[in-house]
Amino acid sequence: DAKTTQPNSMESNEEEPVHLPCNHSTISGTDYIHWYRQLPSQGPEYVIHGLTSNVNNRMASLAIAEDRKSSTLILHRATLRDAAVYYCILRDEGSQGNLIFGKGTKLSVKP
Amino acid sequence: GAGVSQSPSNKVTEKGKDVELRCDPISGHTALYWYRQRLGQGLEFLIYFQGNSAPDKSGLPSDRFSAERTGESVSTLTIQRTQQEDSAVYLCASSLFLATMYSGANVLTFGAGSRLTVL
C-alpha cells in the first residue's frame, strides 16, 4: 500500500500561515495527492488535490515536491475554524476504490 | 439530496443486539464508501460500492459485518451480535465516480456519521 506520514499534531496562531507536511515516498507515478480535513464532530471534507504542479483554491494551497515524495498543505491565514485533523491521502494499490486515510495531523489554532 | 445523509445519528445498543446503519448518498453518485472511526483514531476503511456491487469486502472487520446497496442509492451497514469494540462513528461517503486517484476530480463527500455505542 502507498502510505503517508504526517506529524501527529501542530500548533498555529490565528491569522498566521500554517504549513502541514506529508511524506509519501512510495507514491505511484500517476497517483494524485488529496487532502481532506475533519472538523470536530463532523465527517471529513475535501480540501484540495494535485498531481505534479502546485495548486491553489479558496481554502488552501498545495505545494508538491519535484520528486513527488512529499507535499505541503498551506493555509495562508489560519482561523479558529481551521482547527481540525488534516489527512493526506493516496490510493490503495490493492483495490482501486479503496482510499487509505492515515492518522492525520491535528491542527490547533490559538487566538 | 444536497449532501450525504446518515441515520441514525446516534445509536445506543446492548451487547449482542443487531444494528442497521443507513446511508443516503448524493443523488447520481455511483460510488459509496463506508469507514469506521473509533474514538481518537483515524478512519478505517470498511467497504465500497460501485453501483450496487462491492468488489472488495476484505476491509470488513469480521463476518458479523455486512453491507448492501440497492437501486444505486441507499446503503445499509449491518452489524450482527454487536460487541463493545464495535463502538465507533460509522462514516459514509459518496463520489460521482469510483474515486481512484487517477481521476483527481473525484472527491468524496462525507456524511456526518452514525455514532454507535455498545453497552
Side-chain angles (χ1 to χ4, degrees):
Chain A
D1 295 352
K3 296 187 186 299
T4 63
T5 304
Q6 300 177 254
N8 289 333
S9 62
M10 291 184 65
E11 280 190 355
S12 173
N13 293 316
E14 196 176 11
E15 300 199 356
E16 289 187 355
V18 183
H19 291 230
L20 298 163
C22 180
N23 288 319
H24 30 76
S25 59
T26 60
I27 189 172
S28 298
T30 52
D31 284 348
Y32 281 76
I33 302 155
H34 282 220
W35 283 79
Y36 284 73
R37 72 178 184 181
Q38 187 172 22
L39 302 171
S41 302
Q42 296 187 27
E45 64 176 351
Y46 168 80
V47 177
I48 200 167
H49 73 274
L51 182 62
T52 56
S53 302
N54 295 343
V55 183
N56 299 296
N57 67 19
R58 63 175 181 81
M59 291 181 71
S61 295
L62 178 60
I64 301 173
E66 193 170 335
D67 64 5
R68 299 203 338 118
K69 293 185 176 182
S70 65
S71 61
T72 302
L73 179 70
I74 302 167
L75 306 179
H76 295 286
R77 290 184 65 192
T79 69
L80 296 178
R81 194 190 174 278
D82 290 323
V85 177
Y86 287 77
Y87 295 98
C88 171
I89 301 164
L90 297 179
R91 178 181 65 96
D92 176 3
E93 293 179 356
S95 174
Q96 271 197 324
N98 187 353
L99 299 184
I100 299 293
F101 283 69
K103 298 199 182 303
T105 297
K106 183 174 183 178
L107 175 66
S108 301
V109 180
K110 295 182 290 184
Chain B
V4 177
S5 179
Q6 292 188 247
S7 61
S9 56
N10 247 304
K11 175 72 176 180
V12 180
T13 190
E14 293 179 347
K15 178 181 173 180
K17 301 284 189 183
D18 297 352
V19 296
E20 283 191 353
L21 307 176
R22 176 187 169 109
C23 174
D24 284 273
I26 292 175
S27 179
H29 278 195
T30 62
L32 185 147
Y33 311 77
W34 284 98
Y35 289 83
R36 176 170 73 176
Q37 187 170 35
R38 292 195 168 110
L39 185 64
Q41 302 296 310
L43 274 72
E44 176 187 4
F45 172 78
L46 299 180
I47 192 170
Y48 78 91
F49 289 88
Q50 179 64 11
N52 293 330
S53 299
D56 181 5
K57 299 182 180 180
S58 63
L60 294 175
S62 75
D63 58 8
R64 296 185 295 104
F65 287 71
S66 63
E68 66 173 12
R69 188 181 185 197
T70 57
E72 299 197 358
S73 179
V74 173
S75 177
T76 302
L77 178 69
T78 302
I79 308 173
Q80 295 178 311
R81 305 181 302 280
T82 52
Q83 304 293 312
Q84 287 182 333
E85 61 261 30
D86 299 333
S87 296
V89 175
Y90 290 82
L91 290 157
C92 175
S94 69
S95 65
L96 187 59
F97 299 106
L98 189 61
T100 68
M101 285 297 152
Y102 293 111
S103 184
N106 273 333
V107 302
L108 270 61
T109 301
F110 281 82
S114 291
R115 180 178 299 279
L116 174 65
T117 303
V118 182
L119 301 177

